[in-house]
Amino acid sequence: MTDPPWEPPLAGTDVEHLVGTLERLRATFRWKADGLDVDQLRLRAVPTSELTVGGLLKHLAVVEDDVFSWRMAGQQPVSMTAVPEDDLARWQFTVDPDETAEGVYALWEGAVGRSRATLSALLADGGLDQPGHLEFGDARPTVRRHLHDLVEEYGRHTGHMDLLREAIDGRVGEDPPADWPMLPAVSGDAP
């Protein structure tokens, strides 16, 4: 039996472990969100929280684009180009009445696909230790630092997703089952 495509290597390079960890978190996050209709994506399943599964999908699409497009590569983040700047904080955590489940899933999947392509290009053109685009005073965090920040972001929100999904329909588990059919836009080899 072979490991599922989102499983990090047992022994690999720094890049393989870091990207593998991110891919496992992405897969677990997406599996927790899988198969819900638009009403379930909007559901505030934990009464004391405003978070929703759909809101987290949209938020992480924005974060993917921000980190990979802007912070690492200096390109315009795609997922937020049509959103007024003063509405971004609300929009990224809300599934609006005119949105569909398919559209919310596609937003996240598109952002992840763009992120993978950007990361592949960056790794081929300088590796983890090259500076990203974003500047903090006179410092520019490296690609490695931005990747670690994204792993942390996914870790935090995958924990939220655990609680939300269990409250919606009882789905629990640490990783997707080995036979879970990843969607084409989400599957594939990590760089």
Side-chain angles (χ1 to χ4, degrees):
M1 181 174 155
T2 61
D3 288 332
W6 54 80
E7 188 63 30
L10 293 177
T13 67
D14 191 29
V15 170
E16 290 167 337
H17 282 285
L18 183 54
V19 173
T21 299
L22 177 58
E23 290 298 337
R24 180 170 51 192
L25 283 166
R26 282 175 173 156
T28 302
F29 176 85
R30 181 58 179 83
W31 171 65
K32 291 289 182 163
D34 195 39
L36 299 176
D37 64 31
V38 73
D39 290 329
Q40 291 169 313
L41 290 178
R42 288 186 187 114
L43 182 65
R44 291 188 176 126
V46 177
T48 57
S49 176
E50 296 290 315
L51 291 177
T52 66
V53 171
L56 287 175
L57 281 162
K58 288 176 68 176
H59 170 65
L60 281 172
V62 167
V63 171
E64 288 268 1
D65 273 342
D66 178 49
V67 169
F68 285 95
S69 296
W70 177 247
R71 293 176 187 224
M72 287 188 194
Q75 301 164 353
Q76 177 68 37
V78 173
S79 63
M80 54 185 112
T81 55
V83 181
E85 190 175 313
D86 63 343
D87 196 36
L88 183 61
R90 182 206 63 81
W91 177 87
Q92 69 178 312
F93 285 104
T94 305
V95 178
D96 288 328
D98 62 335
E99 291 183 279
T100 64
E102 296 78 16
V104 173
Y105 287 127
L107 180 73
W108 181 83
E109 290 160 9
V112 169
R114 287 186 298 277
S115 295
R116 286 186 178 129
T118 299
L119 182 58
S120 289
L122 287 167
L123 291 175
D125 190 40
L128 292 176
D129 293 320
Q130 67 181 301
H133 169 76
L134 185 68
E135 294 181 7
F136 285 105
D138 60 352
R140 291 173 58 194
T142 63
V143 169
R144 179 189 313 274
R145 169 59 193 263
H146 290 302
L147 274 175
H148 278 281
D149 287 348
L150 193 61
V151 165
E152 179 184 0
E153 186 82 3
Y154 265 97
R156 177 174 36 259
H157 293 313
T158 300
H160 294 137
M161 192 67 83
D162 285 338
L163 297 173
L164 293 172
R165 186 58 188 253
E166 183 177 9
I168 290 171
D169 65 3
R171 178 176 280 183
V172 296
E174 183 177 334
D175 289 325
D179 63 347
W180 178 59
M182 290 181 75
L183 301 171
V186 183
S187 64
D189 295 329

Short mmCIF file of all heavy atoms in Angstrom, two decimals, residues 102-124:
data_model
loop_
_atom_site.label_atom_id
_atom_site.label_comp_id
_atom_site.label_asym_id
_atom_site.label_seq_id
_atom_site.Cartn_x
_atom_site.Cartn_y
_atom_site.Cartn_z
N GLU A 102 -20.41 25.55 -4.91
CA GLU A 102 -19.42 25.29 -5.96
C GLU A 102 -18.47 26.47 -6.13
O GLU A 102 -17.26 26.29 -6.31
CB GLU A 102 -20.11 24.98 -7.29
CG GLU A 102 -20.95 23.72 -7.28
CD GLU A 102 -22.32 23.88 -6.60
OE1 GLU A 102 -22.78 25.03 -6.40
OE2 GLU A 102 -22.92 22.85 -6.25
N GLY A 103 -18.99 27.67 -6.06
CA GLY A 103 -18.16 28.87 -6.19
C GLY A 103 -17.20 29.04 -5.03
O GLY A 103 -16.04 29.44 -5.23
N VAL A 104 -17.64 28.73 -3.82
CA VAL A 104 -16.78 28.85 -2.64
C VAL A 104 -15.66 27.82 -2.71
O VAL A 104 -14.48 28.14 -2.50
CB VAL A 104 -17.59 28.71 -1.34
CG1 VAL A 104 -16.68 28.67 -0.12
CG2 VAL A 104 -18.59 29.87 -1.21
N TYR A 105 -16.02 26.57 -3.04
CA TYR A 105 -14.98 25.54 -3.18
C TYR A 105 -13.99 25.91 -4.28
O TYR A 105 -12.78 25.78 -4.13
CB TYR A 105 -15.60 24.17 -3.49
CG TYR A 105 -16.31 23.52 -2.32
CD1 TYR A 105 -17.63 23.09 -2.45
CD2 TYR A 105 -15.67 23.31 -1.11
CE1 TYR A 105 -18.29 22.47 -1.39
CE2 TYR A 105 -16.32 22.70 -0.05
CZ TYR A 105 -17.63 22.28 -0.20
OH TYR A 105 -18.27 21.66 0.85
N ALA A 106 -14.51 26.41 -5.41
CA ALA A 106 -13.64 26.77 -6.54
C ALA A 106 -12.71 27.93 -6.19
O ALA A 106 -11.57 27.97 -6.67
CB ALA A 106 -14.49 27.13 -7.76
N LEU A 107 -13.16 28.87 -5.38
CA LEU A 107 -12.32 29.99 -4.96
C LEU A 107 -11.08 29.46 -4.23
O LEU A 107 -9.96 29.83 -4.54
CB LEU A 107 -13.11 30.94 -4.07
CG LEU A 107 -12.37 32.15 -3.55
CD1 LEU A 107 -12.15 33.17 -4.67
CD2 LEU A 107 -13.12 32.79 -2.39
N TRP A 108 -11.30 28.57 -3.25
CA TRP A 108 -10.19 28.00 -2.49
C TRP A 108 -9.29 27.15 -3.38
O TRP A 108 -8.07 27.28 -3.36
CB TRP A 108 -10.72 27.18 -1.31
CG TRP A 108 -9.62 26.60 -0.47
CD1 TRP A 108 -8.93 27.22 0.53
CD2 TRP A 108 -9.07 25.29 -0.58
NE1 TRP A 108 -7.99 26.37 1.05
CE2 TRP A 108 -8.05 25.17 0.39
CE3 TRP A 108 -9.33 24.19 -1.40
CZ2 TRP A 108 -7.30 24.01 0.56
CZ3 TRP A 108 -8.59 23.03 -1.24
CH2 TRP A 108 -7.58 22.95 -0.27
N GLU A 109 -9.90 26.29 -4.19
CA GLU A 109 -9.11 25.40 -5.06
C GLU A 109 -8.28 26.19 -6.06
O GLU A 109 -7.13 25.84 -6.32
CB GLU A 109 -10.04 24.41 -5.76
CG GLU A 109 -10.62 23.41 -4.78
CD GLU A 109 -11.88 22.71 -5.28
OE1 GLU A 109 -12.24 22.86 -6.46
OE2 GLU A 109 -12.50 22.01 -4.46
N GLY A 110 -8.84 27.27 -6.60
CA GLY A 110 -8.08 28.12 -7.52
C GLY A 110 -6.89 28.77 -6.85
O GLY A 110 -5.78 28.82 -7.40
N ALA A 111 -7.10 29.25 -5.62
CA ALA A 111 -6.00 29.89 -4.88
C ALA A 111 -4.89 28.88 -4.58
O ALA A 111 -3.70 29.19 -4.73
CB ALA A 111 -6.53 30.51 -3.59
N VAL A 112 -5.27 27.67 -4.18
CA VAL A 112 -4.26 26.64 -3.89
C VAL A 112 -3.50 26.28 -5.16
O VAL A 112 -2.27 26.14 -5.14
CB VAL A 112 -4.91 25.39 -3.24
CG1 VAL A 112 -3.93 24.23 -3.18
CG2 VAL A 112 -5.41 25.73 -1.84
N GLY A 113 -4.19 26.15 -6.28
CA GLY A 113 -3.51 25.85 -7.55
C GLY A 113 -2.50 26.92 -7.93
O GLY A 113 -1.37 26.62 -8.33
N ARG A 114 -2.90 28.19 -7.77
CA ARG A 114 -1.97 29.30 -8.06
C ARG A 114 -0.78 29.28 -7.11
O ARG A 114 0.37 29.52 -7.50
CB ARG A 114 -2.69 30.64 -7.97
CG ARG A 114 -3.64 30.91 -9.12
CD ARG A 114 -4.22 32.32 -9.06
NE ARG A 114 -5.02 32.59 -7.88
CZ ARG A 114 -6.30 32.27 -7.74
NH1 ARG A 114 -6.94 31.62 -8.72
NH2 ARG A 114 -6.96 32.58 -6.64
N SER A 115 -1.05 28.97 -5.84
CA SER A 115 0.02 28.92 -4.84
C SER A 115 1.03 27.83 -5.18
O SER A 115 2.24 28.06 -5.07
CB SER A 115 -0.56 28.67 -3.45
OG SER A 115 -1.36 29.75 -3.04
N ARG A 116 0.54 26.68 -5.56
CA ARG A 116 1.45 25.59 -5.92
C ARG A 116 2.33 25.99 -7.10
O ARG A 116 3.53 25.70 -7.11
CB ARG A 116 0.67 24.33 -6.25
CG ARG A 116 0.09 23.65 -5.04
CD ARG A 116 -0.55 22.34 -5.42
NE ARG A 116 -1.05 21.66 -4.25
CZ ARG A 116 -2.29 21.19 -4.12
NH1 ARG A 116 -3.15 21.32 -5.11
NH2 ARG A 116 -2.65 20.58 -3.02
N ALA A 117 1.74 26.62 -8.11
CA ALA A 117 2.52 27.04 -9.29
C ALA A 117 3.56 28.08 -8.90
O ALA A 117 4.72 28.02 -9.34
CB ALA A 117 1.58 27.57 -10.37
N THR A 118 3.18 29.04 -8.08
CA THR A 118 4.12 30.08 -7.63
C THR A 118 5.25 29.47 -6.83
O THR A 118 6.43 29.80 -7.03
CB THR A 118 3.38 31.15 -6.81
OG1 THR A 118 2.38 31.76 -7.62
CG2 THR A 118 4.34 32.21 -6.29
N LEU A 119 4.92 28.56 -5.92
CA LEU A 119 5.95 27.94 -5.10
C LEU A 119 6.91 27.12 -5.96
O LEU A 119 8.13 27.19 -5.75
CB LEU A 119 5.34 27.06 -4.01
CG LEU A 119 6.34 26.39 -3.07
CD1 LEU A 119 7.21 27.43 -2.36
CD2 LEU A 119 5.62 25.51 -2.06
N SER A 120 6.40 26.38 -6.91
CA SER A 120 7.28 25.61 -7.80
C SER A 120 8.27 26.52 -8.51
O SER A 120 9.46 26.22 -8.59
CB SER A 120 6.46 24.83 -8.83
OG SER A 120 5.79 23.78 -8.23
N ALA A 121 7.77 27.65 -9.01
CA ALA A 121 8.65 28.60 -9.70
C ALA A 121 9.68 29.19 -8.75
O ALA A 121 10.86 29.31 -9.10
CB ALA A 121 7.82 29.71 -10.34
N LEU A 122 9.26 29.54 -7.54
CA LEU A 122 10.19 30.12 -6.56
C LEU A 122 11.26 29.12 -6.14
O LEU A 122 12.43 29.47 -6.01
CB LEU A 122 9.44 30.63 -5.34
CG LEU A 122 8.63 31.91 -5.54
CD1 LEU A 122 7.69 32.13 -4.37
CD2 LEU A 122 9.53 33.10 -5.75
N LEU A 123 10.86 27.88 -5.92
CA LEU A 123 11.83 26.86 -5.52
C LEU A 123 12.83 26.58 -6.64
O LEU A 123 14.02 26.37 -6.37
CB LEU A 123 11.12 25.57 -5.10
CG LEU A 123 10.32 25.67 -3.80
CD1 LEU A 123 9.55 24.37 -3.55
CD2 LEU A 123 11.21 26.02 -2.62
N ALA A 124 12.37 26.62 -7.88
CA ALA A 124 13.27 26.39 -9.01
C ALA A 124 14.20 27.57 -9.23
O ALA A 124 15.28 27.43 -9.80
CB ALA A 124 12.45 26.13 -10.28
#
